Amino acid sequence: MQVLNIQGISKRYSAVQALKNVSFSVPQGSVFGILGPNGSGKTTLLGIVMDVLKATSGSFTFMGQAPDENQRKKVGTLLETPNFYHYLSAQRNLEIAAAIKGVSTDDIPRVLEIVNLTQRKNSKFNTYSLGMKQRLAIASCLLGDPQIMVFDEPTNGLDPVGIAEIRELIKKLYHQGKTIIMASHLLDEVEKVCTHVAILKKGQLIASGNVNEILANEDIVEIGSDDNEKLLLILKSLNNYTSIKQADDLLQLFYPVGTANLAEINKHCFNNGVVLNHLNIKKKSLEDKFFELTNN
């Protein structure tokens, strides 16, 4: 089941083409990251999906249906900086949010527990750290128990502790069966939580799909010994790898995906008089892949 299906979305602001014919689908129960540098169209795309902006052309559906007001009420959305009354408590702010959404205040204890703010529910919003403010914003999104969550840069401006808190919260929501769509430029964080990604560059989609499929176009074997000069020489007689390069104190061998054989590499080196002290397959990071795809 596809939760969100985007077909040929384009958006133009006068002479600026913010999005150009973007199409992809978001599977149900996924954490879907929309990635791109500033100006790539991430926020514009989310604004269109949540009806804050109108597309110049193209269309999209939620759960196979054209979007309407009732459907959007079933989506928890965090598109901007948390906007609460600073001198009211978390409890009171959530009561106001529940009234605006038209949902019962009976849901407040549940959402506070999910974001780990039960003990601070009576504290004023202006006493919260940035991470706590962001978690309260997510609690507000969770009122009414929506199955789809849309976050724009949910860790923006947070310190490492705050980032880790939001990361663990997103994982928790994923394990509860929520579908989470999030825009971000923090590639390392996205790699830790996302199951699927779409990568944008200057308004154009350049890749989308399962994270492992996006990354899995080659095996990288890290290899090292006490004599890397001799190791480099004997590796020239090893077959099947496509390229080799120096990386700090190690050598890296690049193979077509699924073809690297560590036992064969180790045996070849040993038979040629080199004992390895490092041999490991390294997955290409999402950051590496992103820069490769965007030619940056």
Side-chain angles (χ1 to χ4, degrees):
M1 168 71 80
Q2 304 298 328
V3 163
L4 173 64
N5 188 33
I6 293 173
Q7 289 292 331
I9 291 286
S10 294
K11 177 65 175 177
R12 177 178 284 278
Y13 297 98
S14 186
V16 177
Q17 187 78 45
L19 292 169
K20 185 177 180 181
N21 197 32
V22 173
S23 301
F24 61 81
S25 296
V26 176
Q28 186 172 15
S30 63
V31 182
F32 196 102
I34 301 174
L35 313 182
N38 292 333
S40 61
K42 306 185 300 297
T43 298
T44 298
L45 183 60
L46 290 186
I48 290 170
V49 167
M50 296 318 302
D51 202 31
V52 177
L53 299 170
K54 296 295 184 184
T56 304
S57 61
S59 63
F60 64 93
T61 59
F62 274 118
M63 305 298 288
Q65 299 179 355
D68 57 33
E69 185 176 344
N70 288 330
Q71 270 193 324
R72 289 193 182 89
K73 286 182 179 178
K74 299 175 183 177
V75 180
T77 309
L78 177 57
L79 293 186
E80 298 177 349
T81 303
N83 188 18
F84 293 107
Y85 292 99
H86 285 215
Y87 295 99
L88 294 181
S89 67
Q91 173 75 26
R92 184 66 186 121
N93 270 300
L94 289 180
E95 288 171 358
I96 294 169
I100 293 170
K101 288 187 171 190
V103 300
S104 172
T105 56
D106 293 345
D107 202 26
I108 292 175
R110 180 186 69 87
V111 301
L112 283 171
E113 190 64 29
I114 290 173
V115 302
N116 196 28
L117 285 175
T118 302
Q119 302 303 316
R120 293 291 303 274
K121 68 178 183 179
N122 294 319
S123 299
K124 293 180 179 179
F125 182 72
N126 63 359
T127 68
Y128 277 14
S129 68
L130 284 175
M132 293 169 68
K133 290 176 178 177
Q134 198 74 339
R135 278 155 46 207
L136 184 64
I138 292 174
S140 178
C141 294
L142 287 167
L143 288 169
D145 199 24
Q147 295 306 298
I148 306 170
M149 314 291 292
V150 177
F151 301 146
D152 187 12
E153 301 279 3
T155 58
N156 200 25
L158 300 184
D159 61 16
V161 172
I163 290 173
E165 289 173 345
I166 299 301
R167 180 203 312 148
E168 292 308 309
L169 178 54
I170 289 172
K171 287 180 180 178
K172 181 192 293 187
L173 295 173
Y174 166 65
H175 289 303
Q176 290 176 356
K178 307 289 188 188
T179 301
I180 300 163
I181 304 167
M182 56 180 281
S184 182
H185 66 279
L186 298 178
L187 304 180
D188 182 56
E189 283 306 310
V190 167
E191 188 171 6
K192 290 174 181 173
V193 299
C194 287
T195 60
H196 296 71
V197 294
I199 298 176
L200 298 176
K201 177 186 178 183
K202 295 181 180 178
Q204 291 186 283
L205 181 73
I206 55 177
S208 68
N210 184 283
V211 168
N212 291 329
E213 293 174 359
I214 294 289
L215 298 178
N217 66 343
E218 60 186 345
D219 293 336
I220 305 172
V221 176
E222 291 184 329
I223 184 171
S225 73
D226 291 335
D227 188 348
N228 278 348
E229 288 187 13
K230 183 177 181 181
L231 175 60
L232 183 58
L233 287 173
I234 67 167
L235 287 175
K236 291 180 178 178
S237 60
L238 183 67
N239 297 322
N240 299 328
Y241 68 84
T242 57
S243 62
I244 185 170
K245 75 175 185 178
Q246 185 92 28
D248 297 324
D249 296 328
L250 298 172
L251 300 174
Q252 290 185 335
L253 299 172
F254 293 82
Y255 287 82
V257 64
T259 63
N261 187 323
L262 298 189
E264 183 180 286
I265 296 168
N266 192 34
K267 181 179 178 181
H268 175 83
C269 294
F270 183 79
N271 288 343
N272 285 275
V274 173
V275 175
L276 300 179
N277 58 24
H278 186 96
L279 180 61
N280 180 54
I281 287 187
K282 173 190 175 185
K283 186 178 80 170
K284 179 174 285 190
S285 73
L286 187 59
E287 185 172 33
D288 290 339
K289 186 65 176 183
F290 176 82
F291 288 133
E292 177 187 305
L293 289 169
T294 57
N295 300 314
N296 191 344

